[in-house]
Amino acid sequence: MLRQIEGSRAVADAVAMCRPEVICAYPITPQTHIVEALGAKVKAGQLRPCEFLNVESEFAAMSVAIGASAAGARAYTATASQGLLYMSEAVYNAAGLGLPIVMTVANRAIGAPINIWNDHSDAMSQRDAGWIQLYAETSQEALDLHIQAFRIAEDLSVPVMVCMDGFLLTHAYERADIPSPDQVDNFLPGYEPRQVLDPAAPVSIGAMVGPEAFTEVRYLAHARQSQALTLIPEVVAEFTKTFGRDSGGLVRGYRLEDADTVVVALGSVLGTIKDTVDELRGDGMRIGILGISTFRPFPSAAVREALGSDGRVKRLVVLERALATGVGGIVSADLRMALAGGGSGRAAEPVMSTVIAGLGGRAITRMSLRTMLAEAVAGALEPLSFLDLNKGLIEREFIRARRTRRSGPVAENMLRDQGLTARIG
Amino acid sequence: MPYQSIKFIQTGSLAVGGRLLAEDQRSVQSGAQRSNSLTLGHRACQGCGEALGARIALDACQRATGGKTIAVNATGCLEVFSTPYPETSWQLPWLHSLFGNAPAVAAGVAAALRAKSRDDVRVVGQGGDGGTVDIGFACLSGMFERNDDVLYICYDNEAYMNTGVQRSGATPYAARTATTEPVGPEPGNKFGQGKNVPMIAMAHEIPYVATATVSDLRDLEYKVERAMEFRGARYLHVLVPCPLGWGSAPESTIEVARLATQTGLFPVFEAEDGEVVSATPIRHRTGVRDYLRIQRRYAHLFKPAERTEMIDRIQRGADRNITRFGLLPADDIDAELATVGAGRAEEITS
Ligand SMILES: Cc1ncc(C[n+]2csc(CCOP(=O)(O)OP(=O)(O)O)c2C)c(N)n1
Ligand code: SF4
Ligand SMILES: [Mg+2]
């Protein structure tokens, strides 16, 4: 059924149709609407049997999910930003224990300075936690990915994080096709855990493992993630059959056919990039897009395949909504690994430029993208650049820092320079 | 008429050995059929109070639930000595997640069971004092506050033993650990008397809170059984001497625990809905010196010279417990104290 619906509510509808048995969460903007909507459904009895737990922290939220999942219940939670970091120890633990928990991350920047707006720093910080990470481009895709996430998680015994851009997707009203509960039931069988806490067949879960087998345990986790590279396309194919639309997957190409310049990005910014690329194509530039839907496991082979091995792609522009401070791009590093993994016989690798953009909610505009991509095509883009960086602001801070060794809190200095007073609570 | 003469042996503790009693009066612990939730092969030190406490508590729980208990364990000695992969001493379903989240994980298990309408299966969360009173404290308080159907058992050996005897929030005043040395002029713990989690649990007004020690295993069994009669959050705080960390002889574990109760340092009581309903009276009142002297962690109180002031302070803490919980029959308490603890003392002696 087509509805004009807030992204968070669309996701709550999808999660509810997946029949989670335990939902636990701790509030943090911009995740709140999802959990509140789910709470209302539990209250209305639309989700029986389901236990909704108000926990005292994100660490507890993930811990409750761990206990519930180990006891054989389908468990769901959602968080963002500081909350994801606060639960980090348990995030790793859930993956180590092989528990198929599904979690929404409503992507938001990490402080300090505290910032409630969107970027990908939170999810990126947990990229090696052992979770599968799926990134949604639209509300529709966020909805669809949640349904796929439970399937993938339970098929592989690996937890799945569905990442959706805070505010841009969680709070935007878009048209979405809401499936019927029957469709979801047909697609997603009940959860049958491989190993469960059961007095009839007692097992010890979470025992200590020493050096003699730890590498093997980790290797198997890696192997299971690698299986996801085969499973995810199969799940998408089945999803398309059941729901009549294509959603998610490993990577999604756009106008790649003859592209010599390819923009790589994740999440909702892909929409803006598509519009920009359409315009630039009108100007005669041969630009295409590679959207990464599955970031963990990293779909190296799919990336290579999408970019071809004939040397047609001369330039890659990686637009990243997170920064590896002191290094640059996070996705870029994985892309380099992927391209290097193609073996010999490949044409020269494309020139790669990393563009850090949209940090802490800064809008990524078509105008800025146009300018940056034109530079890229002209071969003038630096290996690492920051979109719309206010150089004047930084220069003033540099000068201040040179004048006195202690220049005070940087963030406040810059707000003062801009003539802004803090308005954010 | 045929008769059998029975010879009772006075052990100094007023306890009667199980084998001297008729079959039906014996402790289940002496029966061949007992469940042995924590079975042999584990790697606890000799005389480990925690191993003993956990086995007795979980066995009692298994009896109370007809063998349908799930245990969730925090990181710590109990977890480490019981389960190096691929071996396990646990004969019941057991889950270890992290050091600081056992109460929340247990709450998650309980929620799953509720969702699955398995109200026959019950959940026990357990951990050491560090996992309980320090790093797991927020999760514990949250679990209490939500009144999740979990019995949480803290095995209190008054320090972080698994990492090599560092101070925890439950380390008592003057006790020496590896990390109390740098703080303050004395080698022992400079701070108050250890976080009193039973009282904090009572402040949450959860259905049942109790304390116990490994010196009275029947009482420990009773407390677990009683706890399992309630639904909702329950808390059991068990004092478990650690020969390694306390510097006590492995064969003295029971004696040390008993002295902790007989001095009044560790009050043994039960509370329902936030009110104390019973306390175990002291039978042989003992001064704290007898308790302190047999543990090397207190050696600095006696050598090179006795630190009378510090010992007196510990004694005052014990006396306060005796008054507060009415641990002595009313006629044993001097007139002044009797007026303070009168109501309770009556209840307990009657
Ligand atoms: C987050 C975290 N911090 C620290 C540790 C290290 N650690 C493991 S067990 C332990 C001490 C356990 O003390 P306690 O809970 O009192 O149990 P005990 O070993 O004394 O029985 C510590 C500090 C850890 N595993 N996880
Ligand atoms: S260190 Fe203490 S608590 Fe740990 S196993 Fe040894 S005696 Fe038991
Ligand atoms: Mg301890």
Side-chain angles (χ1 to χ4, degrees):
Chain A
M1 187 186 41
L2 284 179
R3 284 184 62 191
Q4 192 69 18
I5 188 171
E6 191 198 37
S8 292
R9 286 178 188 277
V11 165
D13 280 356
V15 170
M17 279 184 242
C18 294
R19 305 184 190 282
E21 292 162 290
V22 175
I23 297 174
C24 45
Y26 189 82
I28 182 165
T29 304
Q31 150 265 36
T32 44
H33 292 186
I34 302 172
V35 184
E36 285 166 11
L38 276 167
K41 287 174 191 295
V42 173
K43 178 77 185 167
Q46 294 166 14
L47 247 174
R48 255 185 300 239
C50 179
E51 294 292 322
F52 187 97
L53 266 76
N54 287 300
V55 285
E56 70 285 351
S57 73
E58 287 86 357
F59 178 63
M62 184 49 66
S63 301
V64 164
I66 286 171
S69 186
R74 188 172 278 169
Y76 170 83
T77 185
T79 190
S81 181
Q82 315 298 136
L84 184 61
L85 293 198
Y86 198 75
M87 67 162 65
S88 176
E89 193 193 10
V91 170
Y92 274 74
N93 191 254
L97 292 171
L99 298 172
I101 298 161
V102 170
M103 168 163 68
T104 312
V105 174
N107 295 112
R108 162 181 157 180
I110 291 171
I114 191 163
N115 174 303
I116 61 168
W117 293 280
N118 167 252
D119 70 32
H120 290 165
S121 313
D122 51 3
M124 286 292 161
S125 79
Q126 303 299 300
R127 67 188 180 278
D128 300 325
W131 287 56
I132 289 172
Q133 285 195 345
L134 311 175
Y135 284 76
E137 180 183 336
T138 60
S139 291
Q140 179 74 64
E141 197 172 37
L143 179 164
D144 295 343
L145 286 179
H146 280 86
I147 301 169
Q148 296 181 14
F150 282 102
R151 253 302 283 280
I152 298 164
E154 291 168 13
D155 277 3
L156 292 174
S157 237
V158 175
V160 178
M161 210 179 277
V162 181
C163 306
M164 65 189 292
D165 286 322
F167 293 111
L168 299 173
L169 292 183
T170 55
H171 286 54
Y173 279 71
E174 281 185 4
R175 199 179 73 164
D177 190 353
I178 312 283
S180 72
D182 286 348
Q183 280 176 307
V184 178
D185 284 344
N186 284 336
F187 178 78
L188 179 68
Y191 171 36
E192 280 176 29
R194 297 183 182 192
Q195 196 182 39
V196 68
L197 294 168
D198 178 6
V203 284
S204 297
I205 305 179
M208 177 177 247
V209 176
E212 63 287 348
F214 200 79
T215 306
E216 287 68 24
V217 170
R218 281 289 169 270
Y219 178 85
L220 290 172
H222 178 66
R224 271 202 312 240
Q225 284 242 346
S226 307
Q227 285 171 26
L229 295 171
T230 319
L231 178 72
I232 289 171
E234 289 167 11
V235 167
V236 170
E238 210 182 304
F239 184 90
T240 307
K241 229 173 24 201
T242 312
F243 297 90
R245 65 178 170 272
D246 183 18
S247 224
L250 300 176
V251 296
R252 302 182 80 77
Y254 182 77
R255 304 191 78 168
L256 281 178
E257 320 77 57
D258 58 345
D260 57 19
T261 303
V262 174
V263 189
V264 181
L266 294 74
S268 65
V269 73
L270 284 164
T272 320
I273 303 175
K274 281 178 187 167
D275 289 346
T276 315
V277 161
D278 287 345
E279 285 171 21
L280 292 174
R281 284 235 167 213
D283 298 348
M285 294 183 199
R286 298 214 311 255
I287 301 195
I289 304 168
L290 185 66
I292 307 232
S293 303
T294 301
F295 181 63
R296 282 292 178 273
F298 195 75
S300 299
V303 164
R304 281 198 299 273
E305 198 188 313
L307 297 178
S309 55
D310 52 7
R312 161 172 47 85
V313 178
K314 303 276 185 289
R315 278 170 297 274
L316 284 180
V317 177
V318 191
L319 196 84
E320 305 219 28
R321 270 204 138 120
L323 169 67
T325 316
V327 180
I330 298 167
V331 183
S332 306
D334 289 350
L335 267 177
R336 275 208 177 82
M337 276 280 275
L339 294 177
S344 56
R346 284 178 57 88
E349 265 187 34
V351 174
M352 194 184 293
S353 304
T354 301
V355 180
I356 308 295
L359 297 187
R362 176 160 302 178
I364 301 177
T365 63
R366 269 202 332 245
M367 175 125 79
S368 302
L369 286 176
R370 269 188 78 103
T371 314
M372 180 272 288
L373 288 174
E375 253 179 68
V377 169
L381 195 59
E382 297 283 316
L384 174 67
S385 60
F386 293 73
L387 195 70
D388 294 335
L389 187 69
N390 185 338
K391 297 211 172 82
L393 209 51
I394 287 165
E395 215 31 65
R396 278 198 290 279
E397 184 58 27
F398 279 149
I399 292 168
R400 201 163 19 229
R402 275 197 298 273
R403 261 205 320 263
T404 46
R405 273 194 75 211
R406 294 214 187 115
S407 67
V410 172
E412 285 175 24
N413 287 345
M414 295 210 276
L415 286 179
R416 207 173 299 125
D417 284 345
Q418 286 197 314
L420 296 174
T421 43
R423 280 172 299 169
I424 305 124
Chain B
M1 198 171 107
Y3 70 95
Q4 186 189 7
S5 64
I6 297 177
K7 188 177 174 195
F8 285 104
I9 296 166
Q10 178 58 274
T11 60
S13 70
L14 306 184
V16 175
R19 273 166 301 168
L20 298 172
L21 292 172
E23 199 72 60
D24 61 338
Q25 287 180 301
R26 286 184 191 173
S27 157
V28 267
Q29 289 302 326
S30 60
Q33 304 307 319
R34 69 185 167 82
S35 53
N36 253 343
S37 306
L38 177 70
T39 194
L40 54 143
H42 64 70
R43 293 147 166 84
C45 312
Q46 234 180 34
C48 174
E50 190 164 83
L52 177 61
R55 177 168 71 77
I56 299 294
L58 286 174
D59 277 350
C61 199
Q62 284 285 63
R63 282 194 300 281
T65 59
K68 292 184 179 170
T69 308
I70 293 175
V72 173
N73 215 126
T75 312
C77 270
L78 179 59
E79 167 261 331
V80 171
F81 72 60
S82 61
T83 61
Y85 177 87
E87 292 144 15
T88 177
S89 291
W90 298 105
Q91 307 220 70
L92 77 179
W94 181 90
L95 171 65
H96 163 245
S97 171
L98 294 167
F99 187 24
N101 71 354
V105 175
V109 175
L113 293 170
R114 220 159 40 239
K116 294 181 174 300
S117 305
R118 287 296 306 267
D119 59 0
D120 54 327
V121 182
R122 308 291 300 276
V123 188
V124 170
Q126 54 181 0
D129 48 292
T132 305
V133 321
D134 286 342
I135 200 166
F137 195 59
C139 286
L140 184 72
S141 174
M143 188 275 277
F144 287 164
E145 188 271 330
R146 287 187 303 271
N147 200 26
D148 294 317
D149 189 25
V150 171
L151 166 62
Y152 188 90
I153 307 176
C154 170
Y155 302 105
D156 181 7
N157 51 25
E158 302 187 333
Y160 297 131
M161 296 313 178
N162 187 53
T163 35
V165 197
Q166 294 86 11
R167 177 193 175 278
S168 84
T171 301
Y173 169 67
R176 176 199 222 127
T177 68
T179 50
T180 47
E181 301 258 6
V183 182
E186 302 292 336
N189 192 21
K190 180 174 183 285
F191 305 96
Q193 77 292 307
K195 211 185 277 185
N196 193 334
V197 177
M199 298 296 278
I200 299 171
M202 282 166 60
H204 288 75
E205 302 200 359
I206 55 174
Y208 188 72
V209 173
T211 65
T213 78
V214 287
S215 69
D216 190 346
L217 297 177
R218 297 284 202 120
D219 178 63
L220 173 55
E221 287 175 337
Y222 156 75
K223 300 258 164 82
V224 172
E225 280 158 19
R226 179 79 183 125
M228 297 314 285
E229 288 171 13
F230 295 84
R231 290 277 168 176
R234 290 141 290 143
Y235 181 71
L236 184 55
H237 192 101
V238 190
L239 186 74
V240 291
C242 163
L244 182 118
W246 294 14
S248 51
E251 68 273 22
S252 305
T253 294
I254 306 293
E255 188 194 349
V256 173
R258 184 179 302 122
L259 284 171
T261 65
Q262 299 306 298
T263 50
L265 283 171
F266 188 85
V268 177
F269 66 94
E270 292 180 278
E272 293 178 15
D273 302 320
E275 302 296 334
V276 174
V277 293
S278 84
T280 306
I282 289 174
R283 304 175 87 166
H284 295 293
R285 189 175 184 184
T286 314
V288 296
R289 274 181 182 72
D290 289 356
Y291 171 74
L292 302 173
R293 228 192 297 270
I294 55 173
Q295 303 175 53
R296 271 200 314 282
R297 62 176 172 157
Y298 293 113
H300 58 98
L301 297 182
F302 300 97
K303 279 189 298 201
E306 191 179 278
R307 306 297 306 268
T308 310
E309 244 173 65
M310 292 176 76
I311 296 173
D312 286 350
R313 176 174 163 187
I314 297 170
Q315 185 64 56
R316 281 198 300 278
D319 293 345
R320 178 153 186 266
N321 281 338
I322 290 172
T323 310
R324 188 189 229 176
F325 293 95
L327 299 178
L328 285 175
D331 51 6
D332 284 8
I333 307 178
D334 62 343
E336 190 195 346
L337 294 181
T339 46
V340 182
R344 252 177 227 144
E346 255 166 46
E347 245 173 64
I348 293 149
T349 46
S350 62

